[in-house]
Every structure is written in structure tokens, then in C-alpha cells.
mmCIF file of all heavy atoms in Angstrom:
data_model
loop_
_atom_site.group_PDB
_atom_site.id
_atom_site.type_symbol
_atom_site.label_atom_id
_atom_site.label_comp_id
_atom_site.label_asym_id
_atom_site.label_seq_id
_atom_site.Cartn_x
_atom_site.Cartn_y
_atom_site.Cartn_z
ATOM 1 N N VAL A 1 -123.770 -95.764 76.816
ATOM 2 C CA VAL A 1 -124.128 -94.384 76.510
ATOM 3 C C VAL A 1 -125.375 -94.439 75.652
ATOM 4 O O VAL A 1 -125.449 -95.056 74.612
ATOM 5 C CB VAL A 1 -123.017 -93.626 75.796
ATOM 6 C CG1 VAL A 1 -123.447 -92.222 75.423
ATOM 7 C CG2 VAL A 1 -121.756 -93.602 76.657
ATOM 8 N N LEU A 2 -126.422 -93.703 76.108
ATOM 9 C CA LEU A 2 -127.712 -93.668 75.397
ATOM 10 C C LEU A 2 -128.013 -92.250 74.969
ATOM 11 O O LEU A 2 -127.660 -91.286 75.664
ATOM 12 C CB LEU A 2 -128.793 -94.144 76.313
ATOM 13 C CG LEU A 2 -128.650 -95.526 76.934
ATOM 14 C CD1 LEU A 2 -129.627 -95.760 78.045
ATOM 15 C CD2 LEU A 2 -128.830 -96.580 75.844
ATOM 16 N N GLU A 3 -128.658 -92.089 73.849
ATOM 17 C CA GLU A 3 -129.150 -90.771 73.397
ATOM 18 C C GLU A 3 -130.643 -90.807 73.372
ATOM 19 O O GLU A 3 -131.241 -91.678 72.738
ATOM 20 C CB GLU A 3 -128.590 -90.434 72.037
ATOM 21 C CG GLU A 3 -129.048 -89.077 71.528
ATOM 22 C CD GLU A 3 -128.423 -88.696 70.183
ATOM 23 O OE1 GLU A 3 -127.611 -89.458 69.641
ATOM 24 O OE2 GLU A 3 -128.770 -87.588 69.715
ATOM 25 N N LEU A 4 -131.300 -89.899 74.111
ATOM 26 C CA LEU A 4 -132.708 -89.872 74.223
ATOM 27 C C LEU A 4 -133.292 -88.577 73.681
ATOM 28 O O LEU A 4 -132.688 -87.533 73.974
ATOM 29 C CB LEU A 4 -133.161 -90.015 75.674
ATOM 30 C CG LEU A 4 -132.615 -91.227 76.471
ATOM 31 C CD1 LEU A 4 -133.001 -91.135 77.906
ATOM 32 C CD2 LEU A 4 -133.122 -92.526 75.858
ATOM 33 N N THR A 5 -134.372 -88.655 72.944
ATOM 34 C CA THR A 5 -135.058 -87.458 72.461
ATOM 35 C C THR A 5 -136.564 -87.756 72.580
ATOM 36 O O THR A 5 -137.011 -88.898 72.711
ATOM 37 C CB THR A 5 -134.704 -87.138 70.988
ATOM 38 O OG1 THR A 5 -135.074 -88.281 70.188
ATOM 39 C CG2 THR A 5 -133.243 -86.811 70.822
ATOM 40 N N GLY A 6 -137.339 -86.670 72.526
ATOM 41 C CA GLY A 6 -138.797 -86.788 72.452
ATOM 42 C C GLY A 6 -139.425 -87.761 73.422
ATOM 43 O O GLY A 6 -139.267 -87.651 74.639
ATOM 44 N N ALA A 7 -140.172 -88.737 72.882
ATOM 45 C CA ALA A 7 -140.932 -89.659 73.705
ATOM 46 C C ALA A 7 -140.000 -90.537 74.569
ATOM 47 O O ALA A 7 -140.413 -91.001 75.615
ATOM 48 C CB ALA A 7 -141.791 -90.556 72.809
ATOM 49 N N ASP A 8 -138.766 -90.781 74.113
ATOM 50 C CA ASP A 8 -137.841 -91.555 74.921
ATOM 51 C C ASP A 8 -137.580 -90.859 76.261
ATOM 52 O O ASP A 8 -137.426 -91.516 77.289
ATOM 53 C CB ASP A 8 -136.483 -91.720 74.185
ATOM 54 C CG ASP A 8 -136.618 -92.601 72.935
ATOM 55 O OD1 ASP A 8 -137.543 -93.480 72.878
ATOM 56 O OD2 ASP A 8 -135.797 -92.392 72.019
ATOM 57 N N ILE A 9 -137.437 -89.535 76.204
ATOM 58 C CA ILE A 9 -137.214 -88.773 77.452
ATOM 59 C C ILE A 9 -138.457 -88.866 78.334
ATOM 60 O O ILE A 9 -138.340 -89.103 79.547
ATOM 61 C CB ILE A 9 -136.897 -87.293 77.166
ATOM 62 C CG1 ILE A 9 -135.561 -87.183 76.410
ATOM 63 C CG2 ILE A 9 -136.835 -86.511 78.468
ATOM 64 C CD1 ILE A 9 -135.270 -85.789 75.873
ATOM 65 N N ALA A 10 -139.623 -88.768 77.758
ATOM 66 C CA ALA A 10 -140.884 -88.775 78.545
ATOM 67 C C ALA A 10 -141.065 -90.097 79.251
ATOM 68 O O ALA A 10 -141.657 -90.158 80.341
ATOM 69 C CB ALA A 10 -142.061 -88.518 77.603
ATOM 70 N N ARG A 11 -140.539 -91.189 78.664
ATOM 71 C CA ARG A 11 -140.674 -92.505 79.306
ATOM 72 C C ARG A 11 -139.540 -92.827 80.281
ATOM 73 O O ARG A 11 -139.584 -93.844 80.964
ATOM 74 C CB ARG A 11 -140.689 -93.593 78.232
ATOM 75 C CG ARG A 11 -141.977 -93.578 77.417
ATOM 76 C CD ARG A 11 -142.060 -94.839 76.530
ATOM 77 N NE ARG A 11 -140.971 -94.882 75.590
ATOM 78 C CZ ARG A 11 -140.999 -94.427 74.326
ATOM 79 N NH1 ARG A 11 -142.070 -93.832 73.906
ATOM 80 N NH2 ARG A 11 -139.957 -94.540 73.542
ATOM 81 N N ALA A 12 -138.534 -91.987 80.360
ATOM 82 C CA ALA A 12 -137.359 -92.250 81.171
ATOM 83 C C ALA A 12 -137.527 -91.780 82.611
ATOM 84 O O ALA A 12 -136.849 -90.892 83.043
ATOM 85 C CB ALA A 12 -136.133 -91.613 80.507
ATOM 86 N N PHE A 13 -138.450 -92.364 83.332
ATOM 87 C CA PHE A 13 -138.701 -91.893 84.703
ATOM 88 C C PHE A 13 -137.538 -92.240 85.636
ATOM 89 O O PHE A 13 -137.499 -91.726 86.756
ATOM 90 C CB PHE A 13 -140.038 -92.478 85.208
ATOM 91 C CG PHE A 13 -140.068 -93.997 85.270
ATOM 92 C CD1 PHE A 13 -139.684 -94.636 86.410
ATOM 93 C CD2 PHE A 13 -140.527 -94.710 84.199
ATOM 94 C CE1 PHE A 13 -139.709 -96.024 86.435
ATOM 95 C CE2 PHE A 13 -140.581 -96.082 84.218
ATOM 96 C CZ PHE A 13 -140.169 -96.762 85.352
ATOM 97 N N HIS A 14 -136.610 -93.058 85.245
ATOM 98 C CA HIS A 14 -135.447 -93.329 86.075
ATOM 99 C C HIS A 14 -134.287 -92.405 85.724
ATOM 100 O O HIS A 14 -133.153 -92.681 86.089
ATOM 101 C CB HIS A 14 -135.036 -94.789 85.927
ATOM 102 C CG HIS A 14 -135.923 -95.730 86.603
ATOM 103 N ND1 HIS A 14 -136.194 -95.743 87.948
ATOM 104 C CD2 HIS A 14 -136.704 -96.725 86.066
ATOM 105 C CE1 HIS A 14 -137.062 -96.681 88.217
ATOM 106 N NE2 HIS A 14 -137.392 -97.288 87.112
ATOM 107 N N LEU A 15 -134.549 -91.339 85.006
ATOM 108 C CA LEU A 15 -133.512 -90.399 84.604
ATOM 109 C C LEU A 15 -133.506 -89.243 85.577
ATOM 110 O O LEU A 15 -134.535 -88.595 85.770
ATOM 111 C CB LEU A 15 -133.804 -89.924 83.189
ATOM 112 C CG LEU A 15 -132.810 -89.022 82.495
ATOM 113 C CD1 LEU A 15 -131.461 -89.703 82.341
ATOM 114 C CD2 LEU A 15 -133.323 -88.641 81.145
ATOM 115 N N GLY A 16 -132.390 -89.006 86.185
ATOM 116 C CA GLY A 16 -132.261 -87.873 87.066
ATOM 117 C C GLY A 16 -132.270 -88.226 88.545
ATOM 118 O O GLY A 16 -132.347 -89.421 88.903
ATOM 119 N N PRO A 17 -132.202 -87.226 89.385
ATOM 120 C CA PRO A 17 -132.062 -87.476 90.816
ATOM 121 C C PRO A 17 -133.296 -88.046 91.442
ATOM 122 O O PRO A 17 -134.421 -87.659 91.100
ATOM 123 C CB PRO A 17 -131.749 -86.059 91.372
ATOM 124 C CG PRO A 17 -132.347 -85.121 90.386
ATOM 125 C CD PRO A 17 -132.256 -85.808 89.056
ATOM 126 N N GLY A 18 -133.097 -88.937 92.391
ATOM 127 C CA GLY A 18 -134.225 -89.509 93.084
ATOM 128 C C GLY A 18 -134.753 -88.616 94.198
ATOM 129 O O GLY A 18 -135.809 -88.872 94.738
ATOM 130 N N HIS A 19 -134.043 -87.522 94.498
ATOM 131 C CA HIS A 19 -134.457 -86.657 95.595
ATOM 132 C C HIS A 19 -135.096 -85.360 95.119
ATOM 133 O O HIS A 19 -135.287 -84.443 95.880
ATOM 134 C CB HIS A 19 -133.246 -86.346 96.490
ATOM 135 C CG HIS A 19 -132.068 -85.849 95.733
ATOM 136 N ND1 HIS A 19 -131.176 -86.671 95.146
ATOM 137 C CD2 HIS A 19 -131.669 -84.593 95.444
ATOM 138 C CE1 HIS A 19 -130.249 -85.966 94.532
ATOM 139 N NE2 HIS A 19 -130.539 -84.658 94.693
ATOM 140 N N ASP A 20 -135.419 -85.280 93.842
ATOM 141 C CA ASP A 20 -136.058 -84.055 93.297
ATOM 142 C C ASP A 20 -136.927 -84.511 92.131
ATOM 143 O O ASP A 20 -137.062 -85.709 91.872
ATOM 144 C CB ASP A 20 -134.944 -83.103 92.771
ATOM 145 C CG ASP A 20 -135.444 -81.676 92.621
ATOM 146 O OD1 ASP A 20 -136.680 -81.462 92.573
ATOM 147 O OD2 ASP A 20 -134.577 -80.795 92.515
ATOM 148 N N ALA A 21 -137.516 -83.592 91.421
ATOM 149 C CA ALA A 21 -138.362 -83.965 90.249
ATOM 150 C C ALA A 21 -137.504 -84.635 89.188
ATOM 151 O O ALA A 21 -136.368 -84.231 88.929
ATOM 152 C CB ALA A 21 -139.017 -82.696 89.687
ATOM 153 N N ASP A 22 -138.083 -85.696 88.593
ATOM 154 C CA ASP A 22 -137.318 -86.366 87.516
ATOM 155 C C ASP A 22 -137.323 -85.490 86.268
ATOM 156 O O ASP A 22 -138.071 -84.507 86.146
ATOM 157 C CB ASP A 22 -137.865 -87.754 87.249
ATOM 158 C CG ASP A 22 -139.349 -87.744 86.799
ATOM 159 O OD1 ASP A 22 -139.830 -86.706 86.328
ATOM 160 O OD2 ASP A 22 -139.967 -88.809 86.877
ATOM 161 N N LEU A 23 -136.456 -85.813 85.314
ATOM 162 C CA LEU A 23 -136.299 -84.974 84.147
ATOM 163 C C LEU A 23 -137.567 -84.812 83.297
ATOM 164 O O LEU A 23 -137.868 -83.692 82.890
ATOM 165 C CB LEU A 23 -135.144 -85.488 83.294
ATOM 166 C CG LEU A 23 -134.807 -84.596 82.091
ATOM 167 C CD1 LEU A 23 -134.420 -83.191 82.527
ATOM 168 C CD2 LEU A 23 -133.639 -85.237 81.293
ATOM 169 N N PRO A 24 -138.316 -85.862 83.037
ATOM 170 C CA PRO A 24 -139.537 -85.642 82.247
ATOM 171 C C PRO A 24 -140.490 -84.628 82.905
ATOM 172 O O PRO A 24 -141.077 -83.789 82.254
ATOM 173 C CB PRO A 24 -140.186 -87.053 82.200
ATOM 174 C CG PRO A 24 -139.035 -87.974 82.320
ATOM 175 C CD PRO A 24 -138.083 -87.290 83.266
ATOM 176 N N THR A 25 -140.599 -84.687 84.236
ATOM 177 C CA THR A 25 -141.423 -83.715 84.975
ATOM 178 C C THR A 25 -140.856 -82.305 84.823
ATOM 179 O O THR A 25 -141.612 -81.350 84.611
ATOM 180 C CB THR A 25 -141.535 -84.115 86.455
ATOM 181 O OG1 THR A 25 -142.091 -85.430 86.514
ATOM 182 C CG2 THR A 25 -142.376 -83.135 87.243
ATOM 183 N N VAL A 26 -139.555 -82.152 84.971
ATOM 184 C CA VAL A 26 -138.899 -80.861 84.875
ATOM 185 C C VAL A 26 -139.149 -80.262 83.484
ATOM 186 O O VAL A 26 -139.474 -79.081 83.339
ATOM 187 C CB VAL A 26 -137.370 -80.965 85.152
ATOM 188 C CG1 VAL A 26 -136.643 -79.673 84.743
ATOM 189 C CG2 VAL A 26 -137.149 -81.293 86.608
ATOM 190 N N LEU A 27 -138.991 -81.056 82.430
ATOM 191 C CA LEU A 27 -139.199 -80.512 81.055
ATOM 192 C C LEU A 27 -140.639 -80.153 80.812
ATOM 193 O O LEU A 27 -140.898 -79.115 80.165
ATOM 194 C CB LEU A 27 -138.678 -81.572 80.039
ATOM 195 C CG LEU A 27 -137.190 -81.861 80.079
ATOM 196 C CD1 LEU A 27 -136.837 -82.956 79.092
ATOM 197 C CD2 LEU A 27 -136.359 -80.608 79.875
ATOM 198 N N THR A 28 -141.568 -80.932 81.297
ATOM 199 C CA THR A 28 -142.994 -80.600 81.136
ATOM 200 C C THR A 28 -143.323 -79.313 81.892
ATOM 201 O O THR A 28 -143.977 -78.418 81.335
ATOM 202 C CB THR A 28 -143.890 -81.748 81.663
ATOM 203 O OG1 THR A 28 -143.607 -82.926 80.882
ATOM 204 C CG2 THR A 28 -145.347 -81.387 81.555
ATOM 205 N N PHE A 29 -142.828 -79.200 83.074
ATOM 206 C CA PHE A 29 -143.026 -77.979 83.876
ATOM 207 C C PHE A 29 -142.388 -76.791 83.169
ATOM 208 O O PHE A 29 -142.971 -75.710 83.107
ATOM 209 C CB PHE A 29 -142.458 -78.172 85.276
ATOM 210 C CG PHE A 29 -142.726 -77.066 86.203
ATOM 211 C CD1 PHE A 29 -144.002 -76.810 86.637
ATOM 212 C CD2 PHE A 29 -141.693 -76.237 86.665
ATOM 213 C CE1 PHE A 29 -144.288 -75.747 87.517
ATOM 214 C CE2 PHE A 29 -141.956 -75.181 87.550
ATOM 215 C CZ PHE A 29 -143.258 -74.930 87.955
ATOM 216 N N GLY A 30 -141.173 -76.962 82.608
ATOM 217 C CA GLY A 30 -140.505 -75.908 81.907
ATOM 218 C C GLY A 30 -141.276 -75.403 80.729
ATOM 219 O O GLY A 30 -141.344 -74.208 80.466
#
């Protein structure tokens, strides 16, 4: 179990679904 905040999220390109935008992209877009 990992807890990510700030820059850790931005570097986590393997976070989230492979068939849609990854989480860092979603948060930036948001």
C-alpha cells in the first residue's frame, strides 16, 4: 500500500487505467 501526494502523483505514469488518460494527466486537465 502506497500513499502518493504532489510530485509523487505526477511521476506515477503507471497509475490508473491503461485504456484511458492516466491519473497525472487527468489531474492536470482538471
Side-chain angles (χ1 to χ4, degrees):
V1 177
L2 304 166
E3 181 175 0
L4 306 173
T5 59
D8 294 332
I9 295 171
R11 289 190 300 267
F13 60 90
H14 289 297
L15 185 61
H19 52 274
D20 200 342
D22 62 19
L23 185 58
T25 301
V26 168
L27 296 176
T28 299
F29 186 68

